[in-house]
Amino acid sequence: MFAHESLDAYKCALEFVSWSTGIRRRLNSVQRNINDQLQRAEESIPLNIAEGNAKRRGPDRRRYLETARASAAECSAAIDVLRITLVITQEEAETGKDLLDRISAMLSKLSR
């Protein structure tokens, strides 16, 4: 087992990828841009957590974890767009954003 696999932030990031994939499957071809943007951002979170966790403490590690946190913020904005365009419900948006809030808080703590 790799060290990042035991991190709650990584597990939560994978949970978000699963949740978001279900949402993206409902998008049509007209919504291709938001689909692509969300997919890149959601995948960036666990990938950067894994790479950052493999680094020793210091600026390089923080940079990867901050990138993961920025990707979580981007996902949050994508959820706002999907909510405003009535692709997802308020309840669905809250579920996704709750996961992202948890991820962001854990990444802030890991970055210290």
Side-chain angles (χ1 to χ4, degrees):
M1 176 188 271
F2 287 93
H4 67 270
E5 293 175 302
S6 65
L7 293 175
D8 288 337
Y10 181 77
K11 292 174 187 176
C12 195
L14 291 179
E15 185 179 344
F16 179 76
V17 169
S18 177
W19 176 87
S20 183
T21 299
I23 297 298
R24 286 188 305 97
R25 284 190 179 131
R26 296 181 354 212
L27 300 177
N28 62 40
S29 61
V30 175
Q31 299 157 320
R32 191 178 89 236
N33 289 340
I34 189 77
N35 185 357
D36 293 346
Q37 191 78 18
L38 181 55
Q39 183 176 11
R40 282 192 301 277
E42 77 189 29
E43 291 172 353
S44 172
I45 301 169
L47 294 175
N48 278 291
I49 290 171
E51 191 161 359
N53 196 60
K55 306 284 184 182
R56 295 190 177 174
R57 298 253 176 231
D60 210 23
R61 174 186 165 90
R62 276 193 304 278
R63 189 180 91 243
Y64 282 100
L65 297 176
E66 287 299 315
T67 299
R69 201 163 67 87
S71 292
E74 185 177 358
C75 288
S76 176
I79 289 171
D80 289 339
V81 170
L82 293 173
R83 173 65 188 112
I84 288 171
T85 57
L86 305 176
V87 173
I88 63 175
T89 66
Q90 181 65 34
E91 184 177 299
E92 288 172 317
E94 288 171 7
T95 298
K97 287 187 159 221
D98 285 347
L99 285 168
L100 292 168
D101 283 342
R102 288 176 47 212
I103 293 165
S104 187
M106 287 184 270
L107 289 172
S108 291
K109 198 168 190 177
L110 283 171
S111 295
R112 291 182 194 147

